[in-house]
């Protein structure tokens, strides 16, 4: 995220400070880096989805840029949950194929039909 040239790292992190002044959140700022960790965050916290992260202000060719690396177990679960459901579906299909009775051929079905029909004519 590009920043205005007149903004210092203290100004940028000062504007973001309300996001990190929540219960269960610890943060530390050193020079151009802000590191935070969250533990037992409340649902009303605007950044409750994230468990921790690093925000850095770096100088690029375009000027100062805010780089961030955030970690979230909840978002990771959202990406991995479909794989769980796909695995359950594949397992269900495999079990269904194993438990399915074998398919009869037409010759076997005709022989079975003749035997049943001949028994009826006797009765």
């Amino acid at each position: 995220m590009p920043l205005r040239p007149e903004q210092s790292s203290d100004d940028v992190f000062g504007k973001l400070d309300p996001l990190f002044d929540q219960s269960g959140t610890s943060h530390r700022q050193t020079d151009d880096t802000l590191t935070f960790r969250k533990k037992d965050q409340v649902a009303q916290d605007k950044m409750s989805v994230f468990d921790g992260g690093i925000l850095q202000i770096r100088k690029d060719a375009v000027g100062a840029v805010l780089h961030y690396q955030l970690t979230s177990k909840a978002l990771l679960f959202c990406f991995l949950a479909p794989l769980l459901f796909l695995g359950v579906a594949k397992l269900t299909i495999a079990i269904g194929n194993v438990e399915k009775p074998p398919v009869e051929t037409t010759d076997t079905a005709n022989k079975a039909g003749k035997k049943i029909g001949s028994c009826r004519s006797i009765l």
Side-chain angles (χ1 to χ4, degrees):
M1 168 184 279
L3 303 172
R4 293 191 310 256
E6 67 271 2
Q7 286 182 305
S8 68
S9 59
D10 290 332
D11 293 337
V12 173
F13 293 140
K15 289 181 180 180
L16 295 174
D17 198 39
L19 293 174
F20 303 112
D21 283 338
Q22 301 290 328
S23 63
T25 302
S26 62
H27 67 285
R28 182 174 50 115
Q29 179 184 347
T30 56
D31 297 329
D32 293 340
T33 303
L34 184 135
T35 306
F36 73 95
R37 293 274 171 240
K38 292 183 172 284
K39 184 177 179 183
D40 300 329
Q41 54 265 44
V42 295
Q44 292 80 12
D45 186 354
K46 291 180 182 177
M47 293 186 61
S48 64
V49 174
F50 301 107
D51 301 316
I54 299 171
L55 296 114
Q56 287 183 321
I57 297 178
R58 299 182 191 160
K59 307 290 186 213
D60 281 350
V62 294
V65 179
L66 177 66
H67 288 268
Y68 51 90
Q69 181 178 356
L70 307 174
T71 57
S72 173
K73 293 175 191 167
L75 291 177
L76 178 64
F77 179 72
C78 289
F79 286 115
L80 296 180
L83 295 176
L84 173 71
F85 293 115
L86 182 63
V88 169
K90 291 285 188 180
L91 183 66
T92 303
I93 291 170
I95 290 172
N97 288 338
V98 169
E99 292 181 352
K100 187 179 358 178
V103 178
E104 294 182 8
T105 61
T106 55
D107 293 336
T108 309
N110 288 338
K111 290 178 184 176
K114 288 179 183 175
K115 288 179 184 175
I116 293 172
S118 62
C119 291
R120 286 186 185 165
S121 61
I122 294 174
L123 294 174

